[in-house]
Amino acid sequence: MTVPVLLYGPLASHRRGKILQEALSAEKVTKLPGGHAAAIVFADSFQGADETEQSRLVEWTRMSGHLLLLVPPFVPGACTRPVSWRAERLESTPRGGEGLSKVLASEVAYRLDGKLQTPAVPGATWGDLSVCVGTYRLHPAAGLFAVTCLPLWSLAVLDAPKELEDWLASLVALSGESQPTTQQPVESALRPDHYGLLVFLLSKSFADEEQAIEALGSSPIFRFSSERGRSLLKELFDRGLVTGAVPTTEAIELVMKSPYAPYVNALREVSIP
């Protein structure tokens, strides 16, 4: 592969991950990088994750060059992120596959349903048009969120390395080109929680991150847990919008041009002894 292939979450320590390590020279990671990468995750671990973790993983695909790929197994029921989708059991072995899908057809047990898009890649659908690969992107220049019913961790892929690489490369190509790390997401990338934390940081001065997180936990106005606060603070730091616990000039401009601006002055007045 021309990009790093990463195993994230429970897949990284699962025996099935070892097959992908051998077949794709995949690496185990505990943190998703900022550069071009294809991250493979068990679908059931994503479906079972809390709202914060799901949002964080989807948010990672906002950057061009980021591919997040969910692979079987699945859990029953619909998943609502990034759009509504679900995996449904197949009653018989699918037919009409090509490339890797043909290699793995006998082991496929699901088809996808919902609002994911069907990409123009080999093996995305079967002969009866049931969907095997679904994708979604947060905006036209974003990376790619993808779900596949193909068990990429099957021992069969060790005998079909070219088919596996070609299949994954087709999704990597759809994820776009990695952007220089100096480029930051635009204002539209910020969520309400980001603005909320920035408003809090602008309401008074904090000596460091720890003091800010401690004050956040005892705030009667902001309902962020310490864990969520740290996560948001890191995301803002990664975007160049805070230094320690101090919002940058760019961050201040974003907040003061937003609907959240009145809250800053109001909170500053409340905090004055």
Side-chain angles (χ1 to χ4, degrees):
M1 289 296 299
T2 58
V3 302
V5 179
L6 311 175
L7 306 180
Y8 181 79
L11 178 58
S13 57
H14 197 281
R15 59 182 176 79
R16 287 172 170 171
K18 295 180 179 179
I19 297 171
L20 292 171
Q21 284 182 277
E22 181 177 347
L24 293 167
S25 298
E27 305 172 32
K28 302 177 182 179
V29 296
T30 57
K31 179 181 178 182
L32 296 180
H36 205 178
I40 304 178
V41 179
F42 273 144
D44 61 354
S45 69
F46 177 87
Q47 291 171 291
D50 60 29
E51 179 180 336
T52 298
E53 176 66 0
Q54 287 187 353
S55 296
R56 189 181 68 81
L57 290 173
V58 172
E59 181 72 12
W60 184 73
T61 68
R62 183 177 294 279
M63 295 296 292
S64 181
H66 290 181
L67 167 65
L68 182 70
L69 175 61
L70 307 189
V71 299
F74 300 93
V75 296
C79 184
T80 60
R81 287 183 176 77
V83 291
S84 180
W85 63 272
R86 66 187 299 153
E88 298 181 340
R89 284 279 185 177
L90 288 173
E91 297 181 357
S92 60
T93 300
R95 299 179 181 277
E98 56 181 302
L100 184 66
S101 62
K102 185 175 182 179
V103 172
L104 298 177
S106 64
E107 300 181 56
V108 174
Y110 301 90
R111 69 178 181 86
L112 294 175
D113 189 27
K115 296 183 179 180
L116 293 173
Q117 298 176 331
T118 305
V121 298
T125 60
W126 301 102
D128 62 358
L129 299 183
S130 58
V131 179
C132 184
V133 182
T135 60
Y136 180 83
R137 57 183 0 122
L138 289 167
H139 57 79
L144 198 69
F145 175 95
V147 185
T148 182
C149 298
L150 296 178
L152 301 189
W153 35 257
S154 167
L155 286 170
V157 302
L158 297 178
D159 295 324
K162 185 179 187 304
E163 288 83 351
L164 176 60
E165 287 202 12
D166 288 349
W167 183 89
L168 186 56
S170 66
L171 287 180
V172 168
L174 292 180
S175 71
E177 296 295 329
S178 181
Q179 299 298 319
T181 56
T182 55
Q183 293 187 3
Q184 301 297 333
V186 296
E187 178 184 355
S188 61
L190 294 181
R191 302 191 301 275
D193 280 0
H194 290 131
Y195 280 109
L197 185 59
L198 285 173
V199 168
F200 173 75
L201 295 177
L202 288 169
S203 67
K204 60 176 67 176
S205 298
F206 299 102
D208 52 32
E209 296 179 20
E210 289 304 316
Q211 186 184 65
I213 294 299
E214 183 178 353
L216 183 64
S218 60
S219 172
I221 300 174
F222 296 88
R223 300 298 183 183
F224 292 124
S225 66
S226 296
E227 181 180 359
R228 179 59 175 154
R230 292 182 193 280
S231 176
L232 288 169
L233 194 60
K234 182 183 181 303
E235 291 174 11
L236 291 172
F237 174 81
D238 290 343
R239 299 174 186 207
L241 295 177
V242 296
T243 301
V246 180
T248 64
T249 300
E250 179 184 0
I252 295 172
E253 291 177 353
L254 288 177
V255 172
M256 300 313 289
K257 291 178 181 178
S258 76
Y260 299 87
Y263 295 103
V264 176
N265 293 330
L267 288 171
R268 284 175 176 172
E269 292 176 1
V270 171
S271 65
I272 294 176

